[in-house]
Amino acid sequence: MVSSKYSALSLTLLMTTLVLPAAFADETISDEALDARIARAKSAAPPSISGDATIVVDGKTVVEGSNGWTCMPDTFPGDNIPMCNDAIWMEMLGAMGNKQDFEPKSIGISYMLQGDEGAGVSNSDPYHPDHKNAEDYVETGPHLMIIVPRAMLKGITDDPSSGGPYVMWKDTPYAHIMVPVEDL
C-alpha cells in the first residue's frame, strides 16, 4: 500500500499538471508578448500598488512581488481585462472558482482601472451561463471593488445605475462593493 504522504504528493503533481495553462505547457511566450502582458496586468492599479506586485500570467507567477498584491492581465482567461488584488480578494476568487463559501473577516480591495467594458457580468449571479444576455447585465468603467463583512453591506444599493457605489452579487458569498471611478 502507498503511504498517504506519497499519495498526497502524487495528487499534487497530478493537479499541477492538469491545471498548468496551455500557454506555458505546450508553447513558449515571446519576451515581447510577456512584457506586454505584464504591462497590461500592472495597468489595473496605480503604480504605487502594481510596481511591487506579484504578476500572474496564465496561472503562472512571472514576477514575484513584495507588497502582498497580485496583478493579472486577464480577470478570466482570455478576457484581456486586468485586475490587481490584495490577499482577501485572491482568497475570494479562489473560493469563487471552486464554488466554495466565502466569508470575509476583513476588508479586501481590488483595482480594475481599465474597467470591464465588453466583458461585463450579471450583477446578481457570478455563475450566470450567459452574462451578456442576463437581465441584470452590467459593464463598469474603471473601478475599485471592496469586499467587506456582509453586515457592512446593509443600506448600499445594488442598482448599478444609481450613479455611485453599488453591491454586486448581493445574495452570494462573493458580494462586494463596486466603486466606479470614471464613467464608461
Side-chain angles (χ1 to χ4, degrees):
M1 179 172 177
V2 177
S3 76
S4 60
K5 173 181 162 186
Y6 293 111
S7 296
L9 177 61
S10 298
L11 180 59
T12 302
L13 290 172
L14 176 63
M15 292 305 294
T16 302
T17 303
L18 291 176
V19 298
L20 186 63
F24 289 99
D26 299 329
E27 58 187 66
T28 57
I29 186 170
S30 72
D31 289 343
E32 295 81 20
L34 181 58
D35 288 346
R37 306 275 324 269
I38 290 170
R40 181 82 181 149
K42 287 184 172 191
S43 74
S48 60
I49 297 290
S50 64
D52 292 319
T54 294
I55 309 297
V56 175
V57 175
D58 295 329
K60 181 176 181 177
T61 299
V62 296
V63 175
E64 191 65 49
S66 60
N67 65 358
W69 289 83
T70 302
C71 299
M72 302 169 288
D74 307 302
T75 301
F76 299 105
D79 69 12
N80 202 32
I81 298 176
M83 70 187 314
C84 287
N85 307 306
D86 68 6
I88 301 296
W89 257 92
M90 292 304 290
E91 183 182 341
M92 189 278 281
L93 289 175
M96 191 174 98
N98 291 302
K99 296 186 177 182
Q100 297 172 333
D101 281 342
F102 176 75
E103 182 63 43
K105 308 263 187 285
S106 63
I107 293 173
I109 298 178
S110 176
Y111 286 92
M112 291 184 75
L113 296 183
Q114 298 301 317
D116 63 9
E117 188 174 356
V121 297
S122 161
N123 194 48
S124 62
D125 182 0
Y127 301 114
H128 194 285
D130 185 6
H131 286 284
K132 289 192 178 205
N133 289 310
E135 259 184 52
D136 60 352
Y137 174 80
V138 62
E139 290 184 12
T140 306
H143 60 278
L144 300 174
M145 298 180 292
I146 303 172
I147 295 173
V148 297
R150 233 175 292 300
M152 296 177 72
L153 295 173
K154 290 184 175 127
I156 301 173
T157 185
D158 63 350
D159 180 1
S161 63
S162 67
Y166 64 95
V167 177
M168 178 172 274
W169 302 335
K170 178 181 177 181
D171 296 321
T172 76
Y174 321 116
H176 58 278
I177 302 167
M178 299 285 287
V179 183
V181 295
E182 186 179 308
D183 292 335
L184 279 177

